[in-house]
Amino acid sequence: MIVKGVEHPVVFTDWPPPKSAREYVQGFYSWYAERVASGATDVSWMDMLRLAHWDLSSELAKMLDVDAVAQSHCGEVIGIDFDPFLLTQDPARRYEVGAVNRENDRYMANVYRIEGGQRGRSPDVIAEVAQRSDGSWYFENFYSADMRGGLLAILKSPLPRCTVPKP
């Protein structure tokens, strides 16, 4: 089988899988931030979700799908109003992984925005990653310093009722 035109890092770098959580997270953020912040096209996290779907735990992927579908049927923002992988509405063009700490079978990777050649003072995102039995990596959750329970906790909150359905 020949694969053509696929723009996801798993096709190019995940076989063999990255050797470390750091390598995996940096590869994802290098790929993702470049596309989201490119300005060449209007790319949203919802557009990128179909490409990044297998990089997420099944629970996180399902919850993001539910949010994206709900928002696609509504003329107002009823779900998350920020990029779930960057935890911002204003992404940088580049991100860099800092410290990666192991917590049981998970790894917590500090991800910093790089602007003007300088790394931010504190991580923009703390990415929680785990490794599958086949050696591939996936994201379990995303946190910020002030986000209790991470993205999953936000996504588990009930969505407000849509009062402006899309025609």
Side-chain angles (χ1 to χ4, degrees):
M1 178 170 102
I2 298 174
V3 178
K4 293 183 178 181
V6 177
E7 278 194 36
H8 187 276
V10 77
V11 175
F12 304 106
T13 63
D14 277 2
W15 194 258
K19 291 180 174 61
S20 68
R22 173 186 301 283
E23 184 181 331
Y24 171 71
V25 174
Q26 186 63 63
F28 177 83
Y29 277 96
S30 294
W31 170 81
Y32 185 75
E34 178 182 316
R35 279 149 187 82
V36 171
S38 69
T41 58
D42 184 26
V43 179
S44 73
W45 70 263
M46 291 181 223
D47 298 327
M48 297 300 287
L49 182 58
R50 65 184 163 73
L51 295 175
H53 207 272
W54 56 72
D55 284 306
L56 308 173
S57 71
S58 58
E59 179 183 28
L60 184 56
K62 179 182 175 189
M63 302 290 295
L64 284 168
D65 280 339
V66 167
D67 190 275
V69 168
Q71 290 193 54
S72 72
H73 295 293
C74 193
E76 61 188 340
V77 176
I78 60 167
I80 58 174
D81 65 347
F82 56 87
D83 185 296
F85 311 123
L86 301 171
L87 303 181
T88 186
Q89 293 177 336
D90 184 28
R93 295 189 71 76
R94 191 169 145 238
Y95 287 82
E96 181 178 279
V97 176
V100 177
N101 301 303
R102 185 174 184 165
E103 295 181 8
N104 299 317
D105 62 343
R106 303 279 191 256
Y107 294 83
M108 305 301 276
N110 293 323
V111 181
Y112 297 82
R113 70 178 36 236
I114 305 296
E115 291 185 309
Q118 299 294 313
R119 184 161 111 170
R121 289 179 172 241
S122 59
D124 289 69
V125 180
I126 302 167
E128 180 180 357
V129 295
Q131 195 169 30
R132 295 183 178 98
S133 59
D134 68 358
S136 64
W137 296 89
Y138 65 96
F139 291 98
E140 189 72 38
N141 205 350
F142 298 90
Y143 302 87
S144 69
D146 59 351
M147 186 186 290
R148 204 173 204 129
L151 178 62
L152 278 173
I154 292 170
L155 292 169
K156 288 178 181 178
S157 300
L159 288 169
R161 193 173 138 261
C162 179
T163 60
V164 183
K166 279 192 178 171

